[in-house]
Structures are given as C-alpha cells and as structure tokens.
Amino acid sequence: MKQNSNFNWQKIYLDYSPKLLGICRRYVDDIYTAEDIVQDSFITAIQKNDQLNDEKALFAWLKKIVVNNALQHVRKHSKDTFVTTEPLEIPDTYSEMDHHLLEEKNVFVYDFTSEELLSSIDSLPPHHKSVFNLYFIENHSHAEISGLLGITVNTSKSHLLRAKKSIQNYLMKNFVNQNTPKKKMAQLLVVFGLGGLLWAQTFKSKFCRFYHSAIKKIADSFRS
C-alpha cells in the first residue's frame, strides 16, 4: 500500500478514526458496517493522498470521504426509498392539539444526551436520516443534498420536514418527563421566536465531539 511520506497514516488513523466512526454511525445503524466503511475510506484516502496538499484540511477531507461512502452504502441498500413518492402524512402518535403545543414550546428546550439524540436519528428511515444529517449536522443546503442523493430539492425539503416531525415525536414519547432537565437559553430562544435555530445548534453541539472506539483489526491495516 503506497503511502505519502509526509503523512503518518497509522497515527492519523489512531487520532481520527474514532470520531470518523461516530460520524459514519449517524448514517449507518450497524456499527460493524460503519467500521468497514471507515476502513475503506482510509484506504481510499491513502491511495489518493496526492490530492491533498494542505495537511490542515486532512480531517475535513477524510470526513467527506467517509460521509460519501456512507451515503453510497445507504443508497445501495435503500435505493427505492429515495425515489418513491412520500405519503401525504406520516404516522403521528399525538393529537393535532398536542402537536401544536410541541411546535409552540419546541422540543429542544429539553437537554437531551447525545445517546438519546442518536437514538432518535436511528428511528428514522434511511432517506429521512440522510437528509437530516446532511442538513442539520453537516450544514449542507437542499441544493447540495439534491446532488449528493440524486433527489430533487423539494424531495429533500419534504424528507427533512418529516424527519423533524418524527424526531420530535420520538423524543417526546421516549425521553421527556417531569424530571427531564431544561436549557434556559433554549427557552429564551423559543420565547423570541428563534426555536428553529435549536435544531441545528442542538445536534451540532451534541455530535461535534461524538466518537466510537474503533476495533483493533482496523488499526492493524495501517502498520505496513
């Protein structure tokens, strides 16, 4: 395996693979599949290392490769769900009045853990999950998502709207009770009509340092 002499790939792997695995895990439920994707992504990076001239951009470059490979995996195994017509409504466990109250108060006045938020992402179908991750956590526009997933901009917006509704219902149903801690700043943003900002802020802050420990067999691949 040819390696750029300017890069210590074993050290790079040990430093970055846990966080990259955490990123991949948001798109792929199965941790072993996610590990394989991360390993394949490092092999791709090593083979194409001549494309990277700025070492400061290394993590962003690796992250892009991992996300693209994760999306390819999701599309390959969930192809029909990205192109089929969405139903007019998705199942909702709350009445219209309950849903109105949830929208008004905003679910993110509550302080959820990263594990609870990951669980809510896992509850989504693959096409909704991919759009949600790309939009709120990776900060892609709907036009960019359209190109990445091969869907229209309107389809991307539809997937995102349904993902938000599903996540909100999931969190309220499974994790909110009278003892759930609240965030004062979040409540203030809702009062001033800025509750929509909480979606991106909440998920980005919870997952910016999120990682999974990679298994040893992957690291062994980069010792030669």
Short mmCIF file of all heavy atoms in Angstrom, two decimals, residues 45-67:
data_model
loop_
_atom_site.label_atom_id
_atom_site.label_comp_id
_atom_site.label_asym_id
_atom_site.label_seq_id
_atom_site.Cartn_x
_atom_site.Cartn_y
_atom_site.Cartn_z
N ALA A 45 -8.33 7.16 0.98
CA ALA A 45 -7.56 8.36 1.28
C ALA A 45 -6.07 8.14 1.03
O ALA A 45 -5.37 8.98 0.46
CB ALA A 45 -7.80 8.80 2.72
N ILE A 46 -5.57 6.98 1.44
CA ILE A 46 -4.15 6.67 1.25
C ILE A 46 -3.82 6.55 -0.24
O ILE A 46 -2.80 7.06 -0.71
CB ILE A 46 -3.79 5.37 1.99
CG1 ILE A 46 -3.89 5.59 3.51
CG2 ILE A 46 -2.39 4.91 1.62
CD1 ILE A 46 -3.75 4.33 4.33
N GLN A 47 -4.72 5.93 -0.98
CA GLN A 47 -4.48 5.75 -2.41
C GLN A 47 -4.55 7.06 -3.18
O GLN A 47 -3.93 7.22 -4.23
CB GLN A 47 -5.50 4.76 -2.98
CG GLN A 47 -5.32 3.33 -2.48
CD GLN A 47 -6.43 2.40 -2.90
OE1 GLN A 47 -7.53 2.85 -3.28
NE2 GLN A 47 -6.18 1.10 -2.85
N LYS A 48 -5.30 8.03 -2.64
CA LYS A 48 -5.47 9.32 -3.32
C LYS A 48 -4.83 10.47 -2.54
O LYS A 48 -5.22 11.62 -2.68
CB LYS A 48 -6.96 9.60 -3.52
CG LYS A 48 -7.66 8.58 -4.40
CD LYS A 48 -9.12 8.94 -4.61
CE LYS A 48 -9.81 7.95 -5.54
NZ LYS A 48 -11.25 8.30 -5.77
N ASN A 49 -3.82 10.15 -1.72
CA ASN A 49 -3.24 11.18 -0.86
C ASN A 49 -2.58 12.31 -1.62
O ASN A 49 -2.38 13.39 -1.08
CB ASN A 49 -2.27 10.56 0.15
CG ASN A 49 -1.12 9.82 -0.54
OD1 ASN A 49 -0.38 10.41 -1.30
ND2 ASN A 49 -0.98 8.54 -0.25
N ASP A 50 -2.24 12.08 -2.90
CA ASP A 50 -1.62 13.14 -3.69
C ASP A 50 -2.60 14.27 -3.99
O ASP A 50 -2.19 15.36 -4.41
CB ASP A 50 -1.08 12.56 -5.00
CG ASP A 50 -2.16 11.89 -5.84
OD1 ASP A 50 -3.00 11.17 -5.25
OD2 ASP A 50 -2.16 12.08 -7.07
N GLN A 51 -3.90 14.03 -3.75
CA GLN A 51 -4.91 15.07 -3.99
C GLN A 51 -4.98 16.08 -2.85
O GLN A 51 -5.61 17.12 -2.98
CB GLN A 51 -6.29 14.43 -4.19
CG GLN A 51 -6.37 13.51 -5.40
CD GLN A 51 -7.75 12.89 -5.54
OE1 GLN A 51 -8.68 13.21 -4.80
NE2 GLN A 51 -7.90 11.99 -6.50
N LEU A 52 -4.35 15.77 -1.73
CA LEU A 52 -4.40 16.64 -0.57
C LEU A 52 -3.07 17.36 -0.41
O LEU A 52 -2.04 16.75 -0.16
CB LEU A 52 -4.71 15.83 0.70
CG LEU A 52 -4.88 16.64 1.98
CD1 LEU A 52 -6.15 17.49 1.92
CD2 LEU A 52 -4.93 15.73 3.19
N ASN A 53 -3.10 18.68 -0.53
CA ASN A 53 -1.88 19.47 -0.41
C ASN A 53 -1.75 20.17 0.94
O ASN A 53 -0.65 20.51 1.35
CB ASN A 53 -1.84 20.53 -1.53
CG ASN A 53 -1.81 19.91 -2.91
OD1 ASN A 53 -1.10 18.93 -3.14
ND2 ASN A 53 -2.58 20.47 -3.83
N ASP A 54 -2.87 20.39 1.60
CA ASP A 54 -2.87 21.10 2.87
C ASP A 54 -3.19 20.14 4.00
O ASP A 54 -4.33 19.65 4.12
CB ASP A 54 -3.90 22.25 2.83
CG ASP A 54 -3.87 23.09 4.10
OD1 ASP A 54 -3.03 22.83 4.98
OD2 ASP A 54 -4.71 24.01 4.21
N GLU A 55 -2.22 19.85 4.84
CA GLU A 55 -2.43 18.89 5.92
C GLU A 55 -3.49 19.38 6.91
O GLU A 55 -4.13 18.58 7.59
CB GLU A 55 -1.11 18.62 6.66
CG GLU A 55 -1.18 17.47 7.65
CD GLU A 55 0.17 17.09 8.20
OE1 GLU A 55 1.18 17.66 7.75
OE2 GLU A 55 0.21 16.20 9.08
N LYS A 56 -3.68 20.70 7.00
CA LYS A 56 -4.68 21.25 7.91
C LYS A 56 -6.09 20.85 7.49
O LYS A 56 -7.01 20.88 8.30
CB LYS A 56 -4.56 22.78 7.97
CG LYS A 56 -3.27 23.28 8.58
CD LYS A 56 -3.22 24.80 8.62
CE LYS A 56 -1.92 25.30 9.23
NZ LYS A 56 -1.84 26.77 9.22
N ALA A 57 -6.26 20.52 6.22
CA ALA A 57 -7.57 20.13 5.71
C ALA A 57 -7.78 18.62 5.75
O ALA A 57 -8.77 18.12 5.22
CB ALA A 57 -7.75 20.64 4.28
N LEU A 58 -6.86 17.89 6.38
CA LEU A 58 -6.89 16.43 6.34
C LEU A 58 -8.17 15.86 6.93
O LEU A 58 -8.81 15.01 6.32
CB LEU A 58 -5.68 15.87 7.08
CG LEU A 58 -5.61 14.34 7.19
CD1 LEU A 58 -5.60 13.69 5.81
CD2 LEU A 58 -4.37 13.92 7.99
N PHE A 59 -8.56 16.32 8.13
CA PHE A 59 -9.75 15.73 8.76
C PHE A 59 -11.00 16.01 7.93
O PHE A 59 -11.84 15.12 7.75
CB PHE A 59 -9.94 16.26 10.18
CG PHE A 59 -11.17 15.70 10.84
CD1 PHE A 59 -11.17 14.40 11.33
CD2 PHE A 59 -12.34 16.44 10.94
CE1 PHE A 59 -12.31 13.85 11.92
CE2 PHE A 59 -13.47 15.91 11.53
CZ PHE A 59 -13.46 14.62 12.02
N ALA A 60 -11.15 17.24 7.44
CA ALA A 60 -12.31 17.58 6.62
C ALA A 60 -12.36 16.71 5.37
O ALA A 60 -13.45 16.29 4.93
CB ALA A 60 -12.27 19.06 6.24
N TRP A 61 -11.20 16.44 4.78
CA TRP A 61 -11.12 15.59 3.59
C TRP A 61 -11.52 14.16 3.93
O TRP A 61 -12.31 13.53 3.21
CB TRP A 61 -9.70 15.65 3.04
CG TRP A 61 -9.47 14.93 1.75
CD1 TRP A 61 -10.11 15.16 0.56
CD2 TRP A 61 -8.54 13.87 1.52
NE1 TRP A 61 -9.62 14.31 -0.41
CE2 TRP A 61 -8.65 13.51 0.14
CE3 TRP A 61 -7.60 13.22 2.31
CZ2 TRP A 61 -7.87 12.51 -0.42
CZ3 TRP A 61 -6.82 12.22 1.75
CH2 TRP A 61 -6.95 11.88 0.39
N LEU A 62 -11.00 13.63 5.04
CA LEU A 62 -11.37 12.29 5.47
C LEU A 62 -12.85 12.21 5.78
O LEU A 62 -13.52 11.22 5.42
CB LEU A 62 -10.55 11.90 6.70
CG LEU A 62 -9.06 11.62 6.49
CD1 LEU A 62 -8.36 11.50 7.85
CD2 LEU A 62 -8.85 10.37 5.67
N LYS A 63 -13.38 13.22 6.43
CA LYS A 63 -14.80 13.24 6.77
C LYS A 63 -15.66 13.20 5.51
O LYS A 63 -16.66 12.48 5.45
CB LYS A 63 -15.11 14.49 7.59
CG LYS A 63 -16.58 14.64 7.93
CD LYS A 63 -16.81 15.94 8.71
CE LYS A 63 -18.29 16.17 8.97
NZ LYS A 63 -18.53 17.44 9.70
N LYS A 64 -15.26 13.96 4.50
CA LYS A 64 -16.02 13.98 3.24
C LYS A 64 -16.03 12.60 2.60
O LYS A 64 -17.07 12.14 2.11
CB LYS A 64 -15.40 15.01 2.29
CG LYS A 64 -16.13 15.13 0.97
CD LYS A 64 -15.51 16.21 0.10
CE LYS A 64 -16.25 16.35 -1.22
NZ LYS A 64 -15.63 17.40 -2.09
N ILE A 65 -14.88 11.92 2.62
CA ILE A 65 -14.81 10.57 2.05
C ILE A 65 -15.70 9.61 2.82
O ILE A 65 -16.44 8.81 2.23
CB ILE A 65 -13.34 10.07 2.05
CG1 ILE A 65 -12.48 10.92 1.12
CG2 ILE A 65 -13.29 8.59 1.61
CD1 ILE A 65 -11.00 10.59 1.20
N VAL A 66 -15.66 9.68 4.15
CA VAL A 66 -16.47 8.78 4.98
C VAL A 66 -17.96 9.02 4.74
O VAL A 66 -18.73 8.07 4.56
CB VAL A 66 -16.13 8.97 6.47
CG1 VAL A 66 -17.17 8.27 7.35
CG2 VAL A 66 -14.75 8.44 6.78
N VAL A 67 -18.38 10.28 4.73
CA VAL A 67 -19.80 10.59 4.52
C VAL A 67 -20.25 10.14 3.14
O VAL A 67 -21.33 9.54 2.99
CB VAL A 67 -20.06 12.10 4.71
CG1 VAL A 67 -21.48 12.46 4.27
CG2 VAL A 67 -19.86 12.49 6.17
#
